Every structure is written in C-alpha cells, then in structure tokens.
Amino acid sequence: MQLPLKRLYEAELRGTFAAAQLGLEGFSRATAESGSLIPSWVGGVPVLAMDHYPPSDVTDPEGGVQFFYHCHRAGGLEHGHVHLFAHATRSGRRSRARGDRPRSSADPSHLIAIGLDARGLPVSLFTVNRWVTGGHWLDAPTALGWLQRLTPGDVPGHASSYRWLAGFVRMYLPVAERLLRRRDRWLDRQPDRALAMKDTRAEVLSSARIDWTADLQRLEAECRSRSVPVP
C-alpha cells in the first residue's frame, strides 16, 4: 500500500516529509551504531521465537508508550515485527506509570505493529486482535490520536531506534488510519464483540505491505513537484 501523497495538503506534505526525515535519521544512527535496527534491540544473542527484544522492552515513561521486537512467523519477507503500545486507561487517556512500567495490569494497549525484514527495513504494517496482546481495546480514533502524538523521548540505549519509530509512524499515519478503521469494521461485523476479541482464529485483523525506500523517494519527488521546500 503506497502513501496517498497526492491527497495530502501542502502543510500535511511538509509534516510527512519532516517525519520521514526524522525516521531516516534514526534509522541511519541505529545502523551506524549497531548494524541495523534489529541488532540495536537484540544485541549479539541468538534471536529466539516469541522472546522480547530488548528483554525489558523499550519504554518512554514521559510519552506513555512502549515497544518491543520479536519474531515467530516463519516464511515471507518478515524477519520479525515491532509491537507498539500505549499506557492508556480504558477510555484511552494517559495512564500514569510507576517508574518505567505501566500502572495497570490491563496496560499497555496495542496501537500498531510493524514488520521488518532481515535487514531491518520495514515491510508491513498490521493490527492484531485483543487476545494477542491484551490491554484495553482502543478504537481507531483513539489509537490514531496516540500515534499522532508520538515523539522521540528519553530512552537511554535506544534513542536512535525510538527516533526511527516516531518518524516512521508519523510518516505512515494515513496507512495506519486505514488499517485501524478496517480492523474496527471487522469487529463491528461480528455478532458478539467480546467473543470475537477472544477468537484465536482471528489474529491479524488488517495488514498492508509497504516499500519504505520507494515511499521515501516518492515523497521527496512529490515535494519537489509541488515546490515544497526540502533540505
């Protein structure tokens, strides 16, 4: 799924380009420091299916978000994926943490997942059912609000990868919104929402393949074609 660049107003295009530059800067730093995003989380240990990397996750207590990398799906382009969460109450408001961990056993709540290939390049975005990650179920507008507010925070040891994550997510907000709304429409069609959220046959509720490198090139070309200033 390509970014819908033609539909963006000029201000939106500028914001998307700034987000893309932020993500690219974080990716470049992580690559220079560790070789790619994946070893920046994994280090030099063997990658074991279902384990979290880093083991204690990456948490931004100020911004109220948390993420980790893991792998468990063999085949295809994906090596593993990043799960991004919000420390949120049932209503979607910020849930204050104690130390660097979420306050409630129901936290954190899932926002979006990003598939990466073996080189650490993002290749997909997807949403999952509630049983996969637990936490409160945040509807599409609430989850999107969290994604829109995502900014790099103070996370020692993972500042570069968090910078990539914040920029990448903001760059792909139109795609994330489409996937979150598609996820919610699936749930709305179910006769029993509570049972549907526990249905282990339904894991990934919406997904999209992406080409980050191509979208970065398309974004720069679109800015230049509209005479939007770019560095």
Side-chain angles (χ1 to χ4, degrees):
M1 181 184 294
Q2 290 185 335
L3 278 174
L5 299 177
K6 299 295 185 183
R7 301 179 186 178
L8 298 181
Y9 295 111
E10 183 174 321
E12 294 173 320
L13 190 63
R14 286 199 302 268
T16 301
F17 186 82
Q21 291 300 105
L22 178 69
L24 189 58
E25 179 187 346
F27 184 89
S28 298
R29 288 184 183 181
T31 300
E33 294 162 357
S34 305
S36 85
L37 288 172
I38 296 173
S40 78
W41 302 313
V42 173
V45 302
V47 178
L48 301 178
M50 300 304 295
D51 280 7
H52 288 204
Y53 297 96
S56 59
D57 299 0
V58 178
T59 302
D60 174 10
E62 183 63 30
V65 297
Q66 180 174 331
F67 72 91
F68 66 85
Y69 179 80
H70 75 165
C71 59
H72 60 85
R73 300 192 293 190
L77 289 176
E78 183 185 293
H79 177 274
H81 45 267
V82 173
H83 284 290
L84 176 61
F85 300 85
H87 294 181
T89 63
R90 188 178 301 276
S91 66
R93 296 174 66 85
R94 172 76 163 88
S95 175
R96 292 296 166 185
R98 294 173 181 170
D100 63 350
R101 305 301 297 173
R103 181 182 65 185
S104 164
S105 61
D107 288 332
S109 299
H110 196 260
L111 296 172
I112 199 80
I114 306 163
L116 305 181
D117 68 13
R119 300 167 296 173
L121 292 172
V123 294
S124 66
L125 285 161
F126 61 95
T127 68
V128 296
N129 206 347
R130 184 179 181 183
W131 68 264
V132 178
T133 57
H136 298 305
W137 182 266
L138 304 182
D139 62 17
T142 304
L144 188 65
W146 276 89
L147 297 179
Q148 290 169 333
R149 295 189 297 271
L150 186 63
T151 55
D154 183 16
V155 286
H158 298 284
S160 296
S161 65
Y162 191 23
R163 195 171 186 83
W164 163 77
L165 181 67
F168 174 84
V169 167
R170 284 161 49 190
M171 174 182 172
Y172 277 94
L173 280 174
V175 175
E177 179 178 11
R178 195 173 301 178
L179 294 178
L180 288 164
R181 294 194 183 281
R182 189 185 301 170
R183 178 205 66 174
D184 285 8
R185 287 196 298 270
W186 175 87
L187 188 61
D188 289 341
R189 293 194 299 268
Q190 307 310 306
D192 188 318
R193 289 172 62 93
L195 285 178
M197 288 182 180
K198 299 175 183 178
D199 186 355
T200 56
R201 297 169 299 178
E203 179 181 358
V204 175
L205 301 186
S206 59
S207 64
R209 289 274 297 275
I210 60 168
D211 187 332
W212 184 47
T213 303
D215 280 338
L216 287 169
Q217 294 171 346
R218 290 178 55 245
L219 176 58
E220 183 171 356
E222 183 68 21
C223 288
R224 294 190 185 283
S225 71
R226 293 205 226 169
S227 299
V228 174
V230 296

